[in-house]
Amino acid sequence: MAEQTEIRTTERDAAPPSAPPAKPDSAVIRDALGVGIAVGLSGFAFGVTSAGAGLGLLQTCALSLLVFTGASQFALVGALAAGGNPFTAAAGAFFLGARNAFYGLRLSAVLGYRARVKPFAAHWVIDETSAVTLAQPDRRSARLGFTVTGLTLYVLWNLTTLVGALGAGALGDTDAWGLDAAGPAVFLALLAPMVKDTVERVAAGLAVVLVMVTLPLLPTGVPVLVAALAAPAVLLVQGLRERATGAEATPRAGTDAPHAPRHRAAELRNTAEEDRA
């Protein structure tokens, strides 16, 4: 009985798990500004690429102001520059940007904004703001990181888009500069540090293979959509493997399930019987 009382007391007095330490505002702002400035400057490449694809100044700036998702913008102008159908190019850009809806579902719970604020915040839900927000330990830091990243990136992206579109003529042949690779390069630079475990590496590798195989076979913009199938495919295989492993570890009927050592259970029963006697 004394041992049982001691066990209960120990469990009751055990300290609850500690909350993650708060992050200084200066550190959150520094990280947010770093991401916002680094990615915002690549809007210049989009402005030049868009102008080289034949879009006018107002069309280019409207894309950055209203669409504001770099990968979709580059996909759209890239498809148009390759001679793709405008409707096909717009559809590819739309589906590529649809990933932001899934970011929004996650960020809605993290940020906890009121209903009247959500429509305005939704315009800033992109890869970079999501990465900075989800890296924060608490809601206050998450809101700060989201706001600073979104504001910095939105202002710089649109300013550099304007400068790039205006200066495209002075650069001459924009293809010779290779600026169309700036957007994907920035995206990979942000994504690479997030690929840490084996499952993520396999998914990334499979996506690369899918793009390389389908690039010469499918219309412009479609290989990117095909590459998105890598993640669910890898997760499906992982789930099947875990289910098979769990089935093997489950004891068959008639066998003893894992439990505390039998001699320890017997000692507790004997102690209880002695106390009752």
Side-chain angles (χ1 to χ4, degrees), residues 230-249:
V234 172
L235 291 176
L236 176 62
V237 173
Q238 182 193 23
L240 293 175
R241 291 184 59 184
E242 291 178 350
R243 185 178 301 177
T245 304
E248 293 176 359

Side-chain angles (χ1 to χ4, degrees), residues 35 64-70 100-101 103-104 107 111 113 117-133 142-158:
V35 172
S64 286
L65 285 168
L66 302 177
V67 178
F68 187 55
T69 171
N100 294 334
Y103 294 157
L107 293 185
L111 296 172
Y113 285 139
V117 179
K118 287 182 179 180
F120 301 97
H123 194 50
W124 287 355
V125 176
I126 55 176
D127 300 301
E128 294 78 16
T129 55
S130 300
V132 173
T133 302
R143 287 182 173 182
L144 179 61
F146 177 83
T147 302
V148 174
T149 306
L151 180 61
T152 305
L153 184 50
Y154 189 74
V155 172
L156 274 180
W157 180 268
N158 282 280

